[in-house]
PDB file of all heavy atoms in Angstrom:
ATOM      1  N   GLY A   1      -4.532 -15.877   3.174  1.00 94.00           N
ATOM      2  CA  GLY A   1      -5.895 -15.390   3.308  1.00 94.00           C
ATOM      3  C   GLY A   1      -5.999 -13.972   3.813  1.00 94.00           C
ATOM      4  O   GLY A   1      -7.100 -13.451   4.003  1.00 94.00           O
ATOM      5  N   SER A   2      -4.869 -13.337   4.008  1.00 96.00           N
ATOM      6  CA  SER A   2      -4.845 -12.018   4.634  1.00 96.00           C
ATOM      7  C   SER A   2      -4.718 -10.897   3.615  1.00 96.00           C
ATOM      8  O   SER A   2      -4.093 -11.059   2.573  1.00 96.00           O
ATOM      9  CB  SER A   2      -3.671 -11.923   5.613  1.00 96.00           C
ATOM     10  OG  SER A   2      -3.790 -12.896   6.631  1.00 96.00           O
ATOM     11  N   VAL A   3      -5.306  -9.757   3.970  1.00 97.00           N
ATOM     12  CA  VAL A   3      -5.063  -8.534   3.205  1.00 97.00           C
ATOM     13  C   VAL A   3      -3.748  -7.963   3.729  1.00 97.00           C
ATOM     14  O   VAL A   3      -3.609  -7.715   4.920  1.00 97.00           O
ATOM     15  CB  VAL A   3      -6.187  -7.505   3.383  1.00 97.00           C
ATOM     16  CG1 VAL A   3      -5.890  -6.250   2.564  1.00 97.00           C
ATOM     17  CG2 VAL A   3      -7.528  -8.110   2.988  1.00 97.00           C
ATOM     18  N   MET A   4      -2.815  -7.758   2.831  1.00 97.00           N
ATOM     19  CA  MET A   4      -1.507  -7.235   3.221  1.00 97.00           C
ATOM     20  C   MET A   4      -1.355  -5.807   2.724  1.00 97.00           C
ATOM     21  O   MET A   4      -2.001  -5.384   1.756  1.00 97.00           O
ATOM     22  CB  MET A   4      -0.391  -8.098   2.653  1.00 97.00           C
ATOM     23  CG  MET A   4      -0.367  -9.510   3.215  1.00 97.00           C
ATOM     24  SD  MET A   4      -0.174  -9.532   5.014  1.00 97.00           S
ATOM     25  CE  MET A   4       1.419  -8.711   5.197  1.00 97.00           C
ATOM     26  N   ALA A   5      -0.511  -5.060   3.405  1.00 98.00           N
ATOM     27  CA  ALA A   5      -0.350  -3.652   3.060  1.00 98.00           C
ATOM     28  C   ALA A   5       1.061  -3.178   3.298  1.00 98.00           C
ATOM     29  O   ALA A   5       1.801  -3.748   4.104  1.00 98.00           O
ATOM     30  CB  ALA A   5      -1.310  -2.802   3.890  1.00 98.00           C
ATOM     31  N   TRP A   6       1.404  -2.147   2.595  1.00 98.00           N
ATOM     32  CA  TRP A   6       2.620  -1.383   2.866  1.00 98.00           C
ATOM     33  C   TRP A   6       2.199  -0.038   3.437  1.00 98.00           C
ATOM     34  O   TRP A   6       1.247   0.593   2.948  1.00 98.00           O
ATOM     35  CB  TRP A   6       3.447  -1.167   1.601  1.00 98.00           C
ATOM     36  CG  TRP A   6       4.241  -2.373   1.206  1.00 98.00           C
ATOM     37  CD1 TRP A   6       3.901  -3.332   0.302  1.00 98.00           C
ATOM     38  CD2 TRP A   6       5.528  -2.750   1.711  1.00 98.00           C
ATOM     39  NE1 TRP A   6       4.886  -4.284   0.213  1.00 98.00           N
ATOM     40  CE2 TRP A   6       5.912  -3.936   1.073  1.00 98.00           C
ATOM     41  CE3 TRP A   6       6.411  -2.187   2.643  1.00 98.00           C
ATOM     42  CZ2 TRP A   6       7.121  -4.588   1.322  1.00 98.00           C
ATOM     43  CZ3 TRP A   6       7.611  -2.826   2.902  1.00 98.00           C
ATOM     44  CH2 TRP A   6       7.955  -4.017   2.246  1.00 98.00           C
ATOM     45  N   TYR A   7       2.940   0.383   4.463  1.00 98.00           N
ATOM     46  CA  TYR A   7       2.754   1.669   5.095  1.00 98.00           C
ATOM     47  C   TYR A   7       4.091   2.402   5.052  1.00 98.00           C
ATOM     48  O   TYR A   7       5.134   1.799   4.840  1.00 98.00           O
ATOM     49  CB  TYR A   7       2.346   1.507   6.566  1.00 98.00           C
ATOM     50  CG  TYR A   7       1.081   0.718   6.804  1.00 98.00           C
ATOM     51  CD1 TYR A   7       1.092  -0.677   6.775  1.00 98.00           C
ATOM     52  CD2 TYR A   7      -0.124   1.362   7.089  1.00 98.00           C
ATOM     53  CE1 TYR A   7      -0.064  -1.403   7.012  1.00 98.00           C
ATOM     54  CE2 TYR A   7      -1.283   0.636   7.332  1.00 98.00           C
ATOM     55  CZ  TYR A   7      -1.244  -0.746   7.291  1.00 98.00           C
ATOM     56  OH  TYR A   7      -2.388  -1.464   7.531  1.00 98.00           O
ATOM     57  N   ARG A   8       4.047   3.698   5.299  1.00 98.00           N
ATOM     58  CA  ARG A   8       5.299   4.442   5.416  1.00 98.00           C
ATOM     59  C   ARG A   8       5.142   5.560   6.430  1.00 98.00           C
ATOM     60  O   ARG A   8       4.039   6.054   6.666  1.00 98.00           O
ATOM     61  CB  ARG A   8       5.745   5.012   4.076  1.00 98.00           C
ATOM     62  CG  ARG A   8       4.851   6.095   3.499  1.00 98.00           C
ATOM     63  CD  ARG A   8       5.336   6.485   2.097  1.00 98.00           C
ATOM     64  NE  ARG A   8       4.519   7.544   1.508  1.00 98.00           N
ATOM     65  CZ  ARG A   8       4.656   7.982   0.259  1.00 98.00           C
ATOM     66  NH1 ARG A   8       5.574   7.431  -0.542  1.00 98.00           N
ATOM     67  NH2 ARG A   8       3.879   8.939  -0.193  1.00 98.00           N
ATOM     68  N   GLN A   9       6.262   5.930   7.016  1.00 98.00           N
ATOM     69  CA  GLN A   9       6.282   7.024   7.981  1.00 98.00           C
ATOM     70  C   GLN A   9       7.465   7.915   7.703  1.00 98.00           C
ATOM     71  O   GLN A   9       8.617   7.476   7.822  1.00 98.00           O
ATOM     72  CB  GLN A   9       6.322   6.492   9.410  1.00 98.00           C
ATOM     73  CG  GLN A   9       6.167   7.573  10.457  1.00 98.00           C
ATOM     74  CD  GLN A   9       5.903   7.021  11.843  1.00 98.00           C
ATOM     75  OE1 GLN A   9       6.177   5.863  12.140  1.00 98.00           O
ATOM     76  NE2 GLN A   9       5.351   7.858  12.709  1.00 98.00           N
ATOM     77  N   ALA A  10       7.172   9.136   7.326  1.00 96.00           N
ATOM     78  CA  ALA A  10       8.214  10.130   7.087  1.00 96.00           C
ATOM     79  C   ALA A  10       8.536  10.847   8.393  1.00 96.00           C
ATOM     80  O   ALA A  10       7.706  10.881   9.307  1.00 96.00           O
ATOM     81  CB  ALA A  10       7.748  11.122   6.032  1.00 96.00           C
ATOM     82  N   PRO A  11       9.722  11.422   8.501  1.00 92.00           N
ATOM     83  CA  PRO A  11      10.095  12.130   9.727  1.00 92.00           C
ATOM     84  C   PRO A  11       9.080  13.194  10.113  1.00 92.00           C
ATOM     85  O   PRO A  11       8.678  14.012   9.272  1.00 92.00           O
ATOM     86  CB  PRO A  11      11.443  12.757   9.367  1.00 92.00           C
ATOM     87  CG  PRO A  11      11.985  11.890   8.298  1.00 92.00           C
ATOM     88  CD  PRO A  11      10.799  11.432   7.506  1.00 92.00           C
ATOM     89  N   GLY A  12       8.626  13.157  11.342  1.00 94.00           N
ATOM     90  CA  GLY A  12       7.694  14.159  11.831  1.00 94.00           C
ATOM     91  C   GLY A  12       6.267  13.984  11.370  1.00 94.00           C
ATOM     92  O   GLY A  12       5.417  14.842  11.638  1.00 94.00           O
ATOM     93  N   LYS A  13       5.979  12.885  10.675  1.00 96.00           N
ATOM     94  CA  LYS A  13       4.633  12.663  10.162  1.00 96.00           C
ATOM     95  C   LYS A  13       4.067  11.351  10.692  1.00 96.00           C
ATOM     96  O   LYS A  13       4.809  10.482  11.149  1.00 96.00           O
ATOM     97  CB  LYS A  13       4.629  12.650   8.632  1.00 96.00           C
ATOM     98  CG  LYS A  13       4.993  13.984   8.005  1.00 96.00           C
ATOM     99  CD  LYS A  13       4.808  13.941   6.508  1.00 96.00           C
ATOM    100  CE  LYS A  13       5.098  15.288   5.878  1.00 96.00           C
ATOM    101  NZ  LYS A  13       4.883  15.264   4.400  1.00 96.00           N
ATOM    102  N   GLN A  14       2.754  11.206  10.596  1.00 96.00           N
ATOM    103  CA  GLN A  14       2.113   9.965  11.011  1.00 96.00           C
ATOM    104  C   GLN A  14       2.314   8.889   9.944  1.00 96.00           C
ATOM    105  O   GLN A  14       2.520   9.190   8.761  1.00 96.00           O
ATOM    106  CB  GLN A  14       0.618  10.200  11.233  1.00 96.00           C
ATOM    107  CG  GLN A  14       0.299  11.019  12.468  1.00 96.00           C
ATOM    108  CD  GLN A  14      -1.175  11.003  12.804  1.00 96.00           C
ATOM    109  OE1 GLN A  14      -2.024  10.821  11.935  1.00 96.00           O
ATOM    110  NE2 GLN A  14      -1.499  11.171  14.079  1.00 96.00           N
ATOM    111  N   ARG A  15       2.251   7.658  10.394  1.00 96.00           N
ATOM    112  CA  ARG A  15       2.334   6.537   9.470  1.00 96.00           C
ATOM    113  C   ARG A  15       1.125   6.579   8.541  1.00 96.00           C
ATOM    114  O   ARG A  15       0.001   6.818   8.988  1.00 96.00           O
ATOM    115  CB  ARG A  15       2.370   5.242  10.254  1.00 96.00           C
ATOM    116  CG  ARG A  15       2.681   3.997   9.446  1.00 96.00           C
ATOM    117  CD  ARG A  15       2.877   2.803  10.377  1.00 96.00           C
ATOM    118  NE  ARG A  15       4.115   2.923  11.133  1.00 96.00           N
ATOM    119  CZ  ARG A  15       4.376   2.257  12.239  1.00 96.00           C
ATOM    120  NH1 ARG A  15       3.473   1.437  12.738  1.00 96.00           N
ATOM    121  NH2 ARG A  15       5.524   2.396  12.854  1.00 96.00           N
ATOM    122  N   GLU A  16       1.352   6.333   7.257  1.00 97.00           N
ATOM    123  CA  GLU A  16       0.266   6.366   6.293  1.00 97.00           C
ATOM    124  C   GLU A  16       0.233   5.083   5.468  1.00 97.00           C
ATOM    125  O   GLU A  16       1.260   4.444   5.244  1.00 97.00           O
ATOM    126  CB  GLU A  16       0.400   7.574   5.353  1.00 97.00           C
ATOM    127  CG  GLU A  16       1.633   7.566   4.481  1.00 97.00           C
ATOM    128  CD  GLU A  16       1.626   8.675   3.437  1.00 97.00           C
ATOM    129  OE1 GLU A  16       0.566   9.287   3.195  1.00 97.00           O
ATOM    130  OE2 GLU A  16       2.704   8.913   2.838  1.00 97.00           O
ATOM    131  N   LEU A  17      -0.972   4.749   5.014  1.00 97.00           N
ATOM    132  CA  LEU A  17      -1.158   3.571   4.184  1.00 97.00           C
ATOM    133  C   LEU A  17      -0.753   3.890   2.750  1.00 97.00           C
ATOM    134  O   LEU A  17      -1.184   4.900   2.186  1.00 97.00           O
ATOM    135  CB  LEU A  17      -2.630   3.138   4.235  1.00 97.00           C
ATOM    136  CG  LEU A  17      -3.028   1.921   3.416  1.00 97.00           C
ATOM    137  CD1 LEU A  17      -2.333   0.677   3.936  1.00 97.00           C
ATOM    138  CD2 LEU A  17      -4.547   1.749   3.468  1.00 97.00           C
ATOM    139  N   VAL A  18       0.065   3.018   2.175  1.00 98.00           N
ATOM    140  CA  VAL A  18       0.560   3.237   0.814  1.00 98.00           C
ATOM    141  C   VAL A  18      -0.183   2.365  -0.198  1.00 98.00           C
ATOM    142  O   VAL A  18      -0.609   2.849  -1.248  1.00 98.00           O
ATOM    143  CB  VAL A  18       2.072   2.941   0.739  1.00 98.00           C
ATOM    144  CG1 VAL A  18       2.575   3.025  -0.691  1.00 98.00           C
ATOM    145  CG2 VAL A  18       2.846   3.899   1.647  1.00 98.00           C
ATOM    146  N   ALA A  19      -0.324   1.070   0.104  1.00 98.00           N
ATOM    147  CA  ALA A  19      -0.944   0.147  -0.843  1.00 98.00           C
ATOM    148  C   ALA A  19      -1.430  -1.089  -0.100  1.00 98.00           C
ATOM    149  O   ALA A  19      -0.887  -1.450   0.938  1.00 98.00           O
ATOM    150  CB  ALA A  19       0.058  -0.251  -1.922  1.00 98.00           C
ATOM    151  N   THR A  20      -2.456  -1.721  -0.663  1.00 98.00           N
ATOM    152  CA  THR A  20      -2.972  -2.976  -0.113  1.00 98.00           C
ATOM    153  C   THR A  20      -3.154  -3.990  -1.234  1.00 98.00           C
ATOM    154  O   THR A  20      -3.314  -3.621  -2.410  1.00 98.00           O
ATOM    155  CB  THR A  20      -4.328  -2.794   0.597  1.00 98.00           C
ATOM    156  OG1 THR A  20      -5.331  -2.478  -0.369  1.00 98.00           O
ATOM    157  CG2 THR A  20      -4.265  -1.683   1.637  1.00 98.00           C
ATOM    158  N   ILE A  21      -3.162  -5.264  -0.825  1.00 98.00           N
ATOM    159  CA  ILE A  21      -3.433  -6.343  -1.769  1.00 98.00           C
ATOM    160  C   ILE A  21      -4.180  -7.434  -1.020  1.00 98.00           C
ATOM    161  O   ILE A  21      -3.762  -7.853   0.062  1.00 98.00           O
ATOM    162  CB  ILE A  21      -2.128  -6.868  -2.418  1.00 98.00           C
ATOM    163  CG1 ILE A  21      -2.434  -7.938  -3.471  1.00 98.00           C
ATOM    164  CG2 ILE A  21      -1.139  -7.382  -1.369  1.00 98.00           C
ATOM    165  CD1 ILE A  21      -1.234  -8.262  -4.352  1.00 98.00           C
ATOM    166  N   ASN A  22      -5.296  -7.894  -1.581  1.00 96.00           N
ATOM    167  CA  ASN A  22      -6.063  -8.932  -0.888  1.00 96.00           C
ATOM    168  C   ASN A  22      -5.756 -10.304  -1.479  1.00 96.00           C
ATOM    169  O   ASN A  22      -4.908 -10.454  -2.364  1.00 96.00           O
ATOM    170  CB  ASN A  22      -7.557  -8.605  -0.904  1.00 96.00           C
ATOM    171  CG  ASN A  22      -8.173  -8.659  -2.289  1.00 96.00           C
ATOM    172  OD1 ASN A  22      -7.582  -9.190  -3.235  1.00 96.00           O
ATOM    173  ND2 ASN A  22      -9.361  -8.110  -2.412  1.00 96.00           N
ATOM    174  N   LYS A  23      -6.478 -11.310  -0.988  1.00 94.00           N
ATOM    175  CA  LYS A  23      -6.180 -12.682  -1.409  1.00 94.00           C
ATOM    176  C   LYS A  23      -6.561 -12.931  -2.857  1.00 94.00           C
ATOM    177  O   LYS A  23      -6.097 -13.901  -3.457  1.00 94.00           O
ATOM    178  CB  LYS A  23      -6.873 -13.679  -0.489  1.00 94.00           C
ATOM    179  CG  LYS A  23      -8.399 -13.611  -0.525  1.00 94.00           C
ATOM    180  CD  LYS A  23      -8.968 -14.643   0.428  1.00 94.00           C
ATOM    181  CE  LYS A  23     -10.494 -14.625   0.419  1.00 94.00           C
ATOM    182  NZ  LYS A  23     -11.050 -15.651   1.344  1.00 94.00           N
ATOM    183  N   PHE A  24      -7.388 -12.049  -3.417  1.00 95.00           N
ATOM    184  CA  PHE A  24      -7.748 -12.163  -4.832  1.00 95.00           C
ATOM    185  C   PHE A  24      -6.818 -11.333  -5.713  1.00 95.00           C
ATOM    186  O   PHE A  24      -7.054 -11.174  -6.904  1.00 95.00           O
ATOM    187  CB  PHE A  24      -9.203 -11.716  -5.028  1.00 95.00           C
ATOM    188  CG  PHE A  24     -10.182 -12.483  -4.202  1.00 95.00           C
ATOM    189  CD1 PHE A  24     -10.845 -11.870  -3.150  1.00 95.00           C
ATOM    190  CD2 PHE A  24     -10.432 -13.815  -4.459  1.00 95.00           C
ATOM    191  CE1 PHE A  24     -11.747 -12.576  -2.374  1.00 95.00           C
ATOM    192  CE2 PHE A  24     -11.342 -14.535  -3.692  1.00 95.00           C
ATOM    193  CZ  PHE A  24     -11.989 -13.913  -2.644  1.00 95.00           C
ATOM    194  N   VAL A  25      -5.775 -10.801  -5.101  1.00 94.00           N
ATOM    195  CA  VAL A  25      -4.769  -9.971  -5.775  1.00 94.00           C
ATOM    196  C   VAL A  25      -5.383  -8.673  -6.292  1.00 94.00           C
ATOM    197  O   VAL A  25      -4.906  -8.103  -7.275  1.00 94.00           O
ATOM    198  CB  VAL A  25      -4.042 -10.740  -6.908  1.00 94.00           C
ATOM    199  CG1 VAL A  25      -2.673 -10.100  -7.175  1.00 94.00           C
ATOM    200  CG2 VAL A  25      -3.835 -12.198  -6.551  1.00 94.00           C
ATOM    201  N   SER A  26      -6.430  -8.234  -5.634  1.00 97.00           N
ATOM    202  CA  SER A  26      -6.981  -6.919  -5.920  1.00 97.00           C
ATOM    203  C   SER A  26      -6.190  -5.902  -5.107  1.00 97.00           C
ATOM    204  O   SER A  26      -5.895  -6.132  -3.934  1.00 97.00           O
ATOM    205  CB  SER A  26      -8.453  -6.868  -5.529  1.00 97.00           C
ATOM    206  OG  SER A  26      -8.986  -5.597  -5.742  1.00 97.00           O
ATOM    207  N   THR A  27      -5.846  -4.794  -5.741  1.00 98.00           N
ATOM    208  CA  THR A  27      -4.949  -3.826  -5.103  1.00 98.00           C
ATOM    209  C   THR A  27      -5.592  -2.452  -4.967  1.00 98.00           C
ATOM    210  O   THR A  27      -6.496  -2.086  -5.724  1.00 98.00           O
ATOM    211  CB  THR A  27      -3.653  -3.676  -5.907  1.00 98.00           C
ATOM    212  OG1 THR A  27      -3.970  -3.251  -7.233  1.00 98.00           O
ATOM    213  CG2 THR A  27      -2.898  -4.995  -5.976  1.00 98.00           C
ATOM    214  N   THR A  28      -5.107  -1.697  -3.984  1.00 98.00           N
ATOM    215  CA  THR A  28      -5.468  -0.290  -3.828  1.00 98.00           C
ATOM    216  C   THR A  28      -4.194   0.491  -3.558  1.00 98.00           C
ATOM    217  O   THR A  28      -3.221  -0.054  -3.034  1.00 98.00           O
ATOM    218  CB  THR A  28      -6.452  -0.060  -2.670  1.00 98.00           C
ATOM    219  OG1 THR A  28      -5.805  -0.356  -1.429  1.00 98.00           O
ATOM    220  CG2 THR A  28      -7.691  -0.921  -2.810  1.00 98.00           C
ATOM    221  N   TYR A  29      -4.228   1.775  -3.900  1.00 98.00           N
ATOM    222  CA  TYR A  29      -3.052   2.623  -3.731  1.00 98.00           C
ATOM    223  C   TYR A  29      -3.450   3.998  -3.222  1.00 98.00           C
ATOM    224  O   TYR A  29      -4.517   4.519  -3.563  1.00 98.00           O
ATOM    225  CB  TYR A  29      -2.316   2.792  -5.064  1.00 98.00           C
ATOM    226  CG  TYR A  29      -1.766   1.505  -5.619  1.00 98.00           C
ATOM    227  CD1 TYR A  29      -2.506   0.739  -6.511  1.00 98.00           C
ATOM    228  CD2 TYR A  29      -0.498   1.051  -5.233  1.00 98.00           C
ATOM    229  CE1 TYR A  29      -2.020  -0.454  -6.999  1.00 98.00           C
ATOM    230  CE2 TYR A  29      -0.004  -0.143  -5.729  1.00 98.00           C
ATOM    231  CZ  TYR A  29      -0.766  -0.896  -6.607  1.00 98.00           C
ATOM    232  OH  TYR A  29      -0.270  -2.078  -7.091  1.00 98.00           O
ATOM    233  N   ALA A  30      -2.565   4.597  -2.437  1.00 98.00           N
ATOM    234  CA  ALA A  30      -2.735   5.991  -2.073  1.00 98.00           C
ATOM    235  C   ALA A  30      -2.589   6.840  -3.333  1.00 98.00           C
ATOM    236  O   ALA A  30      -1.830   6.490  -4.241  1.00 98.00           O
ATOM    237  CB  ALA A  30      -1.679   6.395  -1.050  1.00 98.00           C
ATOM    238  N   ASP A  31      -3.317   7.932  -3.385  1.00 98.00           N
ATOM    239  CA  ASP A  31      -3.266   8.783  -4.575  1.00 98.00           C
ATOM    240  C   ASP A  31      -1.836   9.235  -4.883  1.00 98.00           C
ATOM    241  O   ASP A  31      -1.467   9.388  -6.049  1.00 98.00           O
ATOM    242  CB  ASP A  31      -4.155  10.011  -4.377  1.00 98.00           C
ATOM    243  CG  ASP A  31      -5.630   9.669  -4.454  1.00 98.00           C
ATOM    244  OD1 ASP A  31      -5.974   8.578  -4.959  1.00 98.00           O
ATOM    245  OD2 ASP A  31      -6.446  10.489  -4.003  1.00 98.00           O
ATOM    246  N   SER A  32      -1.053   9.436  -3.857  1.00 97.00           N
ATOM    247  CA  SER A  32       0.301   9.967  -4.037  1.00 97.00           C
ATOM    248  C   SER A  32       1.241   8.999  -4.742  1.00 97.00           C
ATOM    249  O   SER A  32       2.296   9.408  -5.234  1.00 97.00           O
ATOM    250  CB  SER A  32       0.895  10.363  -2.684  1.00 97.00           C
ATOM    251  OG  SER A  32       0.928   9.251  -1.807  1.00 97.00           O
ATOM    252  N   VAL A  33       0.877   7.705  -4.791  1.00 98.00           N
ATOM    253  CA  VAL A  33       1.777   6.715  -5.399  1.00 98.00           C
ATOM    254  C   VAL A  33       1.157   6.009  -6.593  1.00 98.00           C
ATOM    255  O   VAL A  33       1.819   5.202  -7.248  1.00 98.00           O
ATOM    256  CB  VAL A  33       2.244   5.671  -4.367  1.00 98.00           C
ATOM    257  CG1 VAL A  33       2.852   6.355  -3.143  1.00 98.00           C
ATOM    258  CG2 VAL A  33       1.127   4.732  -3.965  1.00 98.00           C
ATOM    259  N   LYS A  34      -0.105   6.294  -6.903  1.00 98.00           N
ATOM    260  CA  LYS A  34      -0.780   5.643  -8.032  1.00 98.00           C
ATOM    261  C   LYS A  34      -0.003   5.849  -9.320  1.00 98.00           C
ATOM    262  O   LYS A  34       0.433   6.955  -9.624  1.00 98.00           O
ATOM    263  CB  LYS A  34      -2.193   6.192  -8.182  1.00 98.00           C
ATOM    264  CG  LYS A  34      -3.218   5.529  -7.304  1.00 98.00           C
ATOM    265  CD  LYS A  34      -4.603   6.111  -7.559  1.00 98.00           C
ATOM    266  CE  LYS A  34      -5.612   5.496  -6.617  1.00 98.00           C
ATOM    267  NZ  LYS A  34      -6.951   6.119  -6.768  1.00 98.00           N
ATOM    268  N   GLY A  35       0.156   4.760 -10.049  1.00 97.00           N
ATOM    269  CA  GLY A  35       0.864   4.825 -11.322  1.00 97.00           C
ATOM    270  C   GLY A  35       2.370   4.712 -11.195  1.00 97.00           C
ATOM    271  O   GLY A  35       3.071   4.563 -12.205  1.00 97.00           O
ATOM    272  N   ARG A  36       2.881   4.773  -9.965  1.00 98.00           N
ATOM    273  CA  ARG A  36       4.329   4.678  -9.748  1.00 98.00           C
ATOM    274  C   ARG A  36       4.725   3.440  -8.948  1.00 98.00           C
ATOM    275  O   ARG A  36       5.800   2.881  -9.170  1.00 98.00           O
ATOM    276  CB  ARG A  36       4.838   5.928  -9.021  1.00 98.00           C
ATOM    277  CG  ARG A  36       4.580   7.231  -9.752  1.00 98.00           C
ATOM    278  CD  ARG A  36       5.279   8.403  -9.060  1.00 98.00           C
ATOM    279  NE  ARG A  36       4.789   8.628  -7.708  1.00 98.00           N
ATOM    280  CZ  ARG A  36       5.561   8.584  -6.624  1.00 98.00           C
ATOM    281  NH1 ARG A  36       6.855   8.310  -6.723  1.00 98.00           N
ATOM    282  NH2 ARG A  36       5.045   8.821  -5.425  1.00 98.00           N
ATOM    283  N   PHE A  37       3.874   3.052  -8.005  1.00 98.00           N
ATOM    284  CA  PHE A  37       4.163   1.908  -7.145  1.00 98.00           C
ATOM    285  C   PHE A  37       3.267   0.733  -7.531  1.00 98.00           C
ATOM    286  O   PHE A  37       2.136   0.919  -7.998  1.00 98.00           O
ATOM    287  CB  PHE A  37       3.893   2.245  -5.689  1.00 98.00           C
ATOM    288  CG  PHE A  37       4.857   3.210  -5.069  1.00 98.00           C
ATOM    289  CD1 PHE A  37       5.771   3.933  -5.823  1.00 98.00           C
ATOM    290  CD2 PHE A  37       4.854   3.410  -3.688  1.00 98.00           C
ATOM    291  CE1 PHE A  37       6.652   4.828  -5.236  1.00 98.00           C
ATOM    292  CE2 PHE A  37       5.724   4.289  -3.082  1.00 98.00           C
ATOM    293  CZ  PHE A  37       6.624   5.008  -3.857  1.00 98.00           C
ATOM    294  N   ARG A  38       3.778  -0.482  -7.298  1.00 98.00           N
ATOM    295  CA  ARG A  38       2.985  -1.684  -7.549  1.00 98.00           C
ATOM    296  C   ARG A  38       3.219  -2.684  -6.431  1.00 98.00           C
ATOM    297  O   ARG A  38       4.354  -3.081  -6.179  1.00 98.00           O
ATOM    298  CB  ARG A  38       3.319  -2.306  -8.892  1.00 98.00           C
ATOM    299  CG  ARG A  38       2.404  -3.478  -9.261  1.00 98.00           C
ATOM    300  CD  ARG A  38       2.691  -3.950 -10.673  1.00 98.00           C
ATOM    301  NE  ARG A  38       4.015  -4.556 -10.797  1.00 98.00           N
ATOM    302  CZ  ARG A  38       4.272  -5.843 -10.564  1.00 98.00           C
ATOM    303  NH1 ARG A  38       3.299  -6.654 -10.189  1.00 98.00           N
ATOM    304  NH2 ARG A  38       5.497  -6.312 -10.723  1.00 98.00           N
ATOM    305  N   ILE A  39       2.132  -3.108  -5.787  1.00 98.00           N
ATOM    306  CA  ILE A  39       2.215  -4.100  -4.716  1.00 98.00           C
ATOM    307  C   ILE A  39       1.920  -5.469  -5.301  1.00 98.00           C
ATOM    308  O   ILE A  39       1.074  -5.607  -6.201  1.00 98.00           O
ATOM    309  CB  ILE A  39       1.237  -3.753  -3.566  1.00 98.00           C
ATOM    310  CG1 ILE A  39       1.460  -4.670  -2.363  1.00 98.00           C
ATOM    311  CG2 ILE A  39      -0.207  -3.772  -4.042  1.00 98.00           C
ATOM    312  CD1 ILE A  39       0.660  -4.246  -1.123  1.00 98.00           C
ATOM    313  N   SER A  40       2.625  -6.470  -4.814  1.00 98.00           N
ATOM    314  CA  SER A  40       2.389  -7.844  -5.252  1.00 98.00           C
ATOM    315  C   SER A  40       2.671  -8.784  -4.084  1.00 98.00           C
ATOM    316  O   SER A  40       3.207  -8.362  -3.052  1.00 98.00           O
ATOM    317  CB  SER A  40       3.268  -8.190  -6.459  1.00 98.00           C
ATOM    318  OG  SER A  40       4.640  -8.068  -6.146  1.00 98.00           O
ATOM    319  N   ARG A  41       2.295 -10.058  -4.257  1.00 98.00           N
ATOM    320  CA  ARG A  41       2.506 -11.022  -3.187  1.00 98.00           C
ATOM    321  C   ARG A  41       2.872 -12.378  -3.762  1.00 98.00           C
ATOM    322  O   ARG A  41       2.504 -12.713  -4.883  1.00 98.00           O
ATOM    323  CB  ARG A  41       1.250 -11.120  -2.315  1.00 98.00           C
ATOM    324  CG  ARG A  41       0.039 -11.697  -3.021  1.00 98.00           C
ATOM    325  CD  ARG A  41      -1.232 -11.501  -2.198  1.00 98.00           C
ATOM    326  NE  ARG A  41      -1.166 -12.196  -0.918  1.00 98.00           N
ATOM    327  CZ  ARG A  41      -1.953 -11.905   0.117  1.00 98.00           C
ATOM    328  NH1 ARG A  41      -2.862 -10.950   0.029  1.00 98.00           N
ATOM    329  NH2 ARG A  41      -1.852 -12.597   1.237  1.00 98.00           N
TER     330      ARG A  41
END
């Protein structure tokens, strides 16, 4: 029932949100990874 997400943190930078997926398998992506990354559960 949870919205799950992937985050990433590069050296010297703040942690950023990469992608999310909700219980309906609806997904969102950061602009920097759209079309290249795919989140699933």
Side-chain angles (χ1 to χ4, degrees):
S2 300
V3 180
M4 295 301 299
W6 282 96
Y7 302 80
R8 67 185 181 186
Q9 187 167 20
K13 295 187 177 181
Q14 289 191 334
R15 190 172 290 161
E16 63 172 346
L17 180 65
V18 174
T20 68
I21 184 167
N22 67 14
K23 64 180 181 179
F24 303 111
V25 203
S26 177
T27 59
T28 67
Y29 297 93
D31 287 344
S32 58
V33 307
K34 276 182 183 176
R36 301 188 297 121
F37 290 11
R38 186 174 67 87
I39 188 172
S40 60
R41 66 192 298 161

